[in-house]
Amino acid sequence: MSSPQPRSETRTTDAEEKNAAACPVIESLEQIGSQWRLAVLHELLGGEQRFNELKRSTGANARTLSRVLDDLGEMGFVDRRIEEDSPIATYYSLTEKGESLEPVFDEIECWASSWLEGCDLEE
């Protein structure tokens, strides 16, 4: 006959189950959840842009933007295209994976307009 589990083990199991259920959300936010990643992804929803256009529209410095674009490229959200003509131009656009985030941004904007007072969503 087995003895009942101590209460602390039951709580741990409940917590582990809750964490496992939240895992996809947490993992998603770890990939796209930084301020700069979100800003770049949101800007690229409007279409392909050059590096300096993204720099201006996001307000990121060149080093940060370069790192973020590299990260997003490695994760499969952003494509990079280089035109070799003079002057050399680098263009960034969303991949299919990146474009699939558009409804997510739409829902976040909808939520923000309902719940965040004083937030200027028309920038």
Side-chain angles (χ1 to χ4, degrees):
M1 184 171 185
S2 66
S3 60
Q5 288 184 346
R7 197 174 246 300
S8 62
E9 286 182 27
T10 303
R11 277 193 225 129
T12 302
T13 303
D14 290 344
E16 287 171 353
E17 288 176 11
K18 288 178 183 176
N19 287 340
C23 187
V25 173
I26 293 168
E27 194 171 320
S28 299
L29 290 175
E30 285 176 353
Q31 286 201 8
I32 63 169
S34 80
Q35 169 190 351
W36 297 117
R37 287 180 186 171
L38 289 170
V40 168
L41 290 167
H42 188 263
E43 286 300 317
L44 288 175
L45 285 172
E48 184 178 69
Q49 292 189 38
R50 292 177 67 166
F51 184 88
N52 284 333
E53 292 171 324
L54 283 170
K55 188 175 165 214
R56 269 191 304 278
S57 63
T58 63
N61 66 44
R63 182 176 176 210
T64 298
L65 182 58
S66 180
R67 181 183 45 81
V68 167
L69 288 167
D70 287 346
D71 289 348
L72 290 172
E74 288 175 15
M75 291 185 288
F77 290 103
V78 172
D79 273 334
R80 181 174 140 180
R81 180 174 66 85
I82 299 174
E83 282 193 3
E84 300 289 335
D85 298 336
S86 184
I88 295 175
T90 306
Y91 294 87
Y92 296 89
S93 61
L94 294 177
T95 62
E96 184 179 349
K97 181 179 179 180
E99 289 174 349
S100 72
L101 291 170
E102 187 166 13
V104 175
F105 278 99
D106 291 345
E107 287 298 319
I108 291 170
E109 287 176 4
C110 182
W111 179 86
S113 67
S114 296
W115 293 99
L116 302 179
E117 291 183 36
C119 180
D120 185 8
L121 299 176
E122 299 299 318
E123 291 183 348

